[in-house]
Amino acid sequence: MHAPLLLLSAATGTGHLRAAAAVRQGLAVHAPDLAVEEVELLSIAPRWVRAFYGSMFEAVVTRAPKVWGGIYRMTDGYEQDHARWGPLARRLLFAEFRRLLMSRPWSACVSTHFLPCQLAAARPGFPRFGLVVTDFEMHRVWAQPAVDRCFVATDTLGHELARRVPGARVHATGIPISPAFTAAPSRADARAELGLSMDRPIVLVMGGGLGIGVEEAVAAALDAADPAVQIVAVCGRNEGARIRLASCGAHPERLRVFGEVRGMERFIAAADVVATKPGGLTVSETLALGKPLLLTRPIPGAEEGNLRAVVAEGAALGAFTDAEMRQAFAAAFESPAVLERLSTQARRIGRPDSARAIAEIIHREYGPRAALA
């Protein structure tokens, strides 16, 4: 029997987990003969490590985003990532991970987070590593010189990674998103499924899984967007925001409010504009459906980079402040040409088949046929 593939992620935010799930789904369809075991790295780490990497990340980005931005900038600035965990630290902090890697002859490890690569890539006795980059801009931690293959969002990012890591084998596949986005319903069908207006323009407002900035973006849209526009707010796990928006007094024809939802492809398909903080997965999902983006309230660091990259590609408007958000919402509907231009560029750089593309490369390079070559 061919050795299985180890698929790794880390629960720092939701994007890395969603990317791993998309890769797994792509492999199930396009590489069914490749056995896959999926592991979230922090689940097998000591409790205090889980708290530091998981809970600490969520607390800092929501309560002290400027601190997180400072950490991000402080850890950037080199051509390649030179972070090296000493042997004692690896044994004490990630002993279970080492045991997992040594437990069987894996065909390869593919990770949607850089940490497993820092710990184990190219170390004696360990399998080859592939790395899926989940941002649109290159931070030093993604430039892993010991990784066998890298999967990135765009050709531009691929060129940047190749510059930092000469000889790197880089594939511009797009950030992996659920294959459900390749079969998203039509605009009309999505609206009918969700009970949304069929004849009003719709702005979808999101803030990632944590619902960051949803209230501020809804307030700006209510203030600046044409009264005919219906605003659909998805608050994720931010229950406080959901309750406050649901009780703000706006008519349902003007504002619909949701908490955590399934089938995000329906919500994006139903929208004319998507206003969201620029997480890599959410941006990729929206681009895949060719929807104009209004990127707001980025978490300092990677999301600021995502905003810059997608605005530079002409697929989004960017807004950092309340005033800029109001201006962007007004501009989005002042002329049909604005949305058409954004949508054209979104379709140009969107990669709806990213999960399939990654699965096919993994199968070719690490699957049963590769082992026989």
mmCIF file of all heavy atoms in Angstrom, residues 348-366:
data_model
loop_
_atom_site.group_PDB
_atom_site.id
_atom_site.type_symbol
_atom_site.label_atom_id
_atom_site.label_comp_id
_atom_site.label_asym_id
_atom_site.label_seq_id
_atom_site.Cartn_x
_atom_site.Cartn_y
_atom_site.Cartn_z
ATOM 1 N N ARG A 348 -10.201 37.959 -13.406
ATOM 2 C CA ARG A 348 -8.870 37.735 -13.979
ATOM 3 C C ARG A 348 -7.948 37.025 -12.998
ATOM 4 O O ARG A 348 -7.181 36.131 -13.386
ATOM 5 C CB ARG A 348 -8.257 39.086 -14.391
ATOM 6 C CG ARG A 348 -6.835 38.981 -14.935
ATOM 7 C CD ARG A 348 -6.306 40.339 -15.348
ATOM 8 N NE ARG A 348 -6.186 41.250 -14.222
ATOM 9 C CZ ARG A 348 -5.147 41.272 -13.384
ATOM 10 N NH1 ARG A 348 -4.143 40.414 -13.531
ATOM 11 N NH2 ARG A 348 -5.115 42.147 -12.385
ATOM 12 N N ILE A 349 -7.992 37.408 -11.721
ATOM 13 C CA ILE A 349 -7.052 36.822 -10.759
ATOM 14 C C ILE A 349 -7.688 35.762 -9.869
ATOM 15 O O ILE A 349 -6.999 35.103 -9.093
ATOM 16 C CB ILE A 349 -6.388 37.909 -9.882
ATOM 17 C CG1 ILE A 349 -7.420 38.626 -9.001
ATOM 18 C CG2 ILE A 349 -5.627 38.901 -10.734
ATOM 19 C CD1 ILE A 349 -6.781 39.579 -7.998
ATOM 20 N N GLY A 350 -9.004 35.588 -9.973
ATOM 21 C CA GLY A 350 -9.663 34.564 -9.165
ATOM 22 C C GLY A 350 -9.281 33.162 -9.617
ATOM 23 O O GLY A 350 -9.061 32.919 -10.807
ATOM 24 N N ARG A 351 -9.181 32.253 -8.666
ATOM 25 C CA ARG A 351 -8.802 30.869 -8.969
ATOM 26 C C ARG A 351 -9.835 29.907 -8.360
ATOM 27 O O ARG A 351 -9.602 29.301 -7.315
ATOM 28 C CB ARG A 351 -7.415 30.557 -8.394
ATOM 29 C CG ARG A 351 -6.301 31.513 -8.813
ATOM 30 C CD ARG A 351 -5.935 31.365 -10.278
ATOM 31 N NE ARG A 351 -4.882 32.292 -10.672
ATOM 32 C CZ ARG A 351 -3.598 31.998 -10.749
ATOM 33 N NH1 ARG A 351 -3.186 30.774 -10.467
ATOM 34 N NH2 ARG A 351 -2.713 32.906 -11.117
ATOM 35 N N PRO A 352 -11.000 29.783 -8.997
ATOM 36 C CA PRO A 352 -12.031 28.899 -8.425
ATOM 37 C C PRO A 352 -11.601 27.440 -8.340
ATOM 38 O O PRO A 352 -12.108 26.693 -7.515
ATOM 39 C CB PRO A 352 -13.218 29.078 -9.384
ATOM 40 C CG PRO A 352 -12.625 29.618 -10.642
ATOM 41 C CD PRO A 352 -11.453 30.439 -10.226
ATOM 42 N N ASP A 353 -10.649 27.021 -9.197
ATOM 43 C CA ASP A 353 -10.210 25.620 -9.217
ATOM 44 C C ASP A 353 -8.923 25.405 -8.429
ATOM 45 O O ASP A 353 -8.181 24.448 -8.693
ATOM 46 C CB ASP A 353 -9.998 25.166 -10.664
ATOM 47 C CG ASP A 353 -11.304 25.010 -11.420
ATOM 48 O OD1 ASP A 353 -12.324 24.730 -10.767
ATOM 49 O OD2 ASP A 353 -11.304 25.171 -12.644
ATOM 50 N N SER A 354 -8.653 26.263 -7.451
ATOM 51 C CA SER A 354 -7.388 26.177 -6.725
ATOM 52 C C SER A 354 -7.220 24.830 -6.013
ATOM 53 O O SER A 354 -6.124 24.244 -6.041
ATOM 54 C CB SER A 354 -7.289 27.318 -5.709
ATOM 55 O OG SER A 354 -8.438 27.348 -4.861
ATOM 56 N N ALA A 355 -8.267 24.321 -5.396
ATOM 57 C CA ALA A 355 -8.154 23.046 -4.682
ATOM 58 C C ALA A 355 -7.849 21.914 -5.654
ATOM 59 O O ALA A 355 -7.043 21.019 -5.359
ATOM 60 C CB ALA A 355 -9.435 22.751 -3.897
ATOM 61 N N ARG A 356 -8.477 21.945 -6.822
ATOM 62 C CA ARG A 356 -8.189 20.918 -7.836
ATOM 63 C C ARG A 356 -6.744 21.013 -8.307
ATOM 64 O O ARG A 356 -6.035 19.996 -8.428
ATOM 65 C CB ARG A 356 -9.131 21.083 -9.033
ATOM 66 C CG ARG A 356 -8.812 20.120 -10.182
ATOM 67 C CD ARG A 356 -9.508 20.527 -11.480
ATOM 68 N NE ARG A 356 -9.170 21.873 -11.878
ATOM 69 C CZ ARG A 356 -8.024 22.222 -12.462
ATOM 70 N NH1 ARG A 356 -7.092 21.300 -12.701
ATOM 71 N NH2 ARG A 356 -7.787 23.479 -12.789
ATOM 72 N N ALA A 357 -6.275 22.245 -8.570
ATOM 73 C CA ALA A 357 -4.908 22.420 -9.071
ATOM 74 C C ALA A 357 -3.883 21.905 -8.065
ATOM 75 O O ALA A 357 -2.915 21.216 -8.436
ATOM 76 C CB ALA A 357 -4.662 23.893 -9.376
ATOM 77 N N ILE A 358 -4.084 22.216 -6.787
ATOM 78 C CA ILE A 358 -3.156 21.750 -5.761
ATOM 79 C C ILE A 358 -3.219 20.234 -5.635
ATOM 80 O O ILE A 358 -2.194 19.551 -5.530
ATOM 81 C CB ILE A 358 -3.467 22.438 -4.418
ATOM 82 C CG1 ILE A 358 -3.128 23.925 -4.511
ATOM 83 C CG2 ILE A 358 -2.687 21.787 -3.273
ATOM 84 C CD1 ILE A 358 -3.529 24.738 -3.293
ATOM 85 N N ALA A 359 -4.437 19.683 -5.657
ATOM 86 C CA ALA A 359 -4.593 18.230 -5.528
ATOM 87 C C ALA A 359 -3.891 17.502 -6.664
ATOM 88 O O ALA A 359 -3.246 16.456 -6.446
ATOM 89 C CB ALA A 359 -6.077 17.870 -5.501
ATOM 90 N N GLU A 360 -3.991 18.021 -7.867
ATOM 91 C CA GLU A 360 -3.368 17.345 -9.003
ATOM 92 C C GLU A 360 -1.848 17.375 -8.911
ATOM 93 O O GLU A 360 -1.171 16.393 -9.241
ATOM 94 C CB GLU A 360 -3.846 17.988 -10.301
ATOM 95 C CG GLU A 360 -5.314 17.676 -10.605
ATOM 96 C CD GLU A 360 -5.809 18.324 -11.879
ATOM 97 O OE1 GLU A 360 -5.077 19.192 -12.428
ATOM 98 O OE2 GLU A 360 -6.924 17.991 -12.322
ATOM 99 N N ILE A 361 -1.288 18.483 -8.429
ATOM 100 C CA ILE A 361 0.174 18.556 -8.272
ATOM 101 C C ILE A 361 0.631 17.628 -7.150
ATOM 102 O O ILE A 361 1.633 16.906 -7.287
ATOM 103 C CB ILE A 361 0.607 20.005 -8.005
ATOM 104 C CG1 ILE A 361 0.330 20.882 -9.227
ATOM 105 C CG2 ILE A 361 2.101 20.065 -7.640
ATOM 106 C CD1 ILE A 361 0.464 22.365 -8.980
ATOM 107 N N ILE A 362 -0.093 17.626 -6.033
ATOM 108 C CA ILE A 362 0.255 16.719 -4.939
ATOM 109 C C ILE A 362 0.215 15.270 -5.414
ATOM 110 O O ILE A 362 1.113 14.467 -5.129
ATOM 111 C CB ILE A 362 -0.705 16.932 -3.751
ATOM 112 C CG1 ILE A 362 -0.425 18.279 -3.072
ATOM 113 C CG2 ILE A 362 -0.583 15.785 -2.734
ATOM 114 C CD1 ILE A 362 -1.422 18.646 -1.990
ATOM 115 N N HIS A 363 -0.814 14.932 -6.168
ATOM 116 C CA HIS A 363 -0.949 13.560 -6.648
ATOM 117 C C HIS A 363 0.187 13.197 -7.590
ATOM 118 O O HIS A 363 0.751 12.090 -7.514
ATOM 119 C CB HIS A 363 -2.297 13.386 -7.342
ATOM 120 C CG HIS A 363 -2.622 11.968 -7.672
ATOM 121 N ND1 HIS A 363 -2.708 11.505 -8.964
ATOM 122 C CD2 HIS A 363 -2.865 10.900 -6.873
ATOM 123 C CE1 HIS A 363 -3.008 10.215 -8.960
ATOM 124 N NE2 HIS A 363 -3.110 9.826 -7.707
ATOM 125 N N ARG A 364 0.541 14.133 -8.460
ATOM 126 C CA ARG A 364 1.623 13.875 -9.420
ATOM 127 C C ARG A 364 2.971 13.717 -8.721
ATOM 128 O O ARG A 364 3.770 12.851 -9.071
ATOM 129 C CB ARG A 364 1.693 15.022 -10.427
ATOM 130 C CG ARG A 364 2.750 14.809 -11.519
ATOM 131 C CD ARG A 364 2.775 15.963 -12.484
ATOM 132 N NE ARG A 364 3.337 17.168 -11.886
ATOM 133 C CZ ARG A 364 2.735 18.342 -11.846
ATOM 134 N NH1 ARG A 364 1.524 18.491 -12.350
ATOM 135 N NH2 ARG A 364 3.329 19.383 -11.304
ATOM 136 N N GLU A 365 3.222 14.561 -7.711
ATOM 137 C CA GLU A 365 4.543 14.591 -7.082
ATOM 138 C C GLU A 365 4.681 13.627 -5.906
ATOM 139 O O GLU A 365 5.777 13.148 -5.625
ATOM 140 C CB GLU A 365 4.852 16.015 -6.606
ATOM 141 C CG GLU A 365 4.877 17.046 -7.722
ATOM 142 C CD GLU A 365 5.926 16.743 -8.779
ATOM 143 O OE1 GLU A 365 6.980 16.153 -8.419
ATOM 144 O OE2 GLU A 365 5.694 17.067 -9.958
ATOM 145 N N TYR A 366 3.585 13.338 -5.203
ATOM 146 C CA TYR A 366 3.679 12.541 -3.982
ATOM 147 C C TYR A 366 2.803 11.285 -4.003
ATOM 148 O O TYR A 366 2.799 10.517 -3.044
ATOM 149 C CB TYR A 366 3.284 13.385 -2.768
ATOM 150 C CG TYR A 366 4.047 14.670 -2.622
ATOM 151 C CD1 TYR A 366 3.378 15.868 -2.382
ATOM 152 C CD2 TYR A 366 5.437 14.709 -2.710
ATOM 153 C CE1 TYR A 366 4.074 17.069 -2.236
ATOM 154 C CE2 TYR A 366 6.130 15.896 -2.566
ATOM 155 C CZ TYR A 366 5.437 17.065 -2.335
ATOM 156 O OH TYR A 366 6.138 18.250 -2.198
#
